[in-house]
Amino acid sequence: MRVWTVRFDVRRFASAFLVDESNQILEFMPEWPDFEGQRLADTWQIPRMKIKNNKPIANFTDIDPGILICDSFALENLGEALESEVEVLSIENVDKIDMYILNVVNLIDCLDEDNSEIEYFSSGRIMNIQSYSFFTENLNDTMLFKIPQFSRTEIFSTDSCRNQVLRSSLTGLTFAQVYSS
């Protein structure tokens, strides 16, 4: 089994920004949730989003680490397979592009800290992971997941999700292999 980090190809594709009612980019949105693997649909307030038009628009768009934004084509190609692992949240896109947040709610405590190379803060919290090791028995039938140690910033994929993205020719994501068993 291989595990990959999921990132956005910000060099080649446009990013998204949250905007206010007058379409001005928001530098900070105090009510923006942390997206740490919790379900948000019950309290979700639909945000306004704008695509920065300096690059081509991909099927997946960058807005913040740890958050996936995709168009309806990507949702059609991945939605059913990811049904139990993500929560689909609506966005008001002022550019009239049909996009959604895929909130990864599949939080799995599968990091094998003893066999990973980890830098810790003096408080004992993890600062950085140079080399990952996972308890792969916890990842059977998993496509996308987060780990509690980096639930705000990292999204991980198994081969099944990565292969589906590649087979469907979906654009905007990059995958970096971080583990192989």
Side-chain angles (χ1 to χ4, degrees):
M1 170 180 284
R2 293 183 298 179
V3 176
W4 310 78
T5 56
V6 180
R7 301 264 165 73
F8 297 96
D9 190 347
V10 293
R11 285 187 271 185
R12 293 183 32 211
F13 296 104
S15 294
F17 298 93
L18 296 173
V19 296
D20 62 18
E21 293 75 31
S22 61
N23 294 336
Q24 298 300 309
I25 294 173
L26 295 169
E27 296 296 323
F28 176 72
M29 189 169 168
E31 59 276 351
W32 189 245
D34 289 328
F35 294 93
E36 293 181 297
Q38 76 278 32
R39 294 196 173 271
L40 300 169
D42 291 342
T43 58
W44 185 247
Q45 295 180 9
I46 298 174
R48 292 172 56 92
M49 184 185 82
K50 181 179 179 86
I51 303 291
K52 188 174 181 181
N53 291 323
N54 60 338
K55 297 176 186 170
I57 298 170
N59 300 113
F60 287 90
T61 303
D62 175 51
I63 194 164
D64 223 356
I67 303 171
L68 291 175
I69 293 184
C70 72
D71 63 12
S72 54
F73 181 74
L75 188 59
E76 285 174 26
N77 280 277
L78 297 176
E80 192 173 302
L82 294 174
E83 197 169 58
S84 65
E85 298 177 3
V86 301
E87 176 182 55
V88 179
L89 302 172
S90 297
I91 301 169
E92 181 185 342
N93 191 321
V94 298
D95 298 316
K96 306 300 182 215
I97 301 167
D98 200 16
M99 299 197 96
Y100 304 88
I101 290 179
L102 298 182
N103 177 28
V104 179
V105 295
N106 194 20
L107 189 65
I108 303 175
D109 191 5
C110 61
L111 179 66
D112 179 355
E113 289 190 39
D114 291 338
N115 291 305
S116 298
E117 291 179 37
I118 300 175
E119 289 180 71
Y120 292 91
F121 289 107
S122 59
S123 66
R125 279 189 28 235
I126 293 176
M127 177 182 358
N128 188 30
I129 301 175
Q130 291 90 16
S131 175
Y132 288 87
S133 183
F134 292 98
F135 297 112
T136 56
E137 63 273 6
N138 297 339
L139 299 177
N140 293 335
D141 302 320
T142 297
M143 290 184 73
L144 280 179
F145 66 98
K146 290 184 170 187
I147 58 174
Q149 295 85 347
F150 285 138
S151 61
R152 281 189 190 182
T153 57
E154 291 291 347
I155 298 172
F156 296 92
S157 166
T158 60
D159 284 326
S160 58
C161 182
R162 179 183 174 270
N163 293 343
Q164 181 66 30
V165 167
L166 297 176
R167 261 193 312 274
S168 302
S169 300
L170 299 175
T171 57
L173 295 180
T174 62
F175 296 88
Q177 184 177 326
V178 293
Y179 179 75
S180 180
S181 62

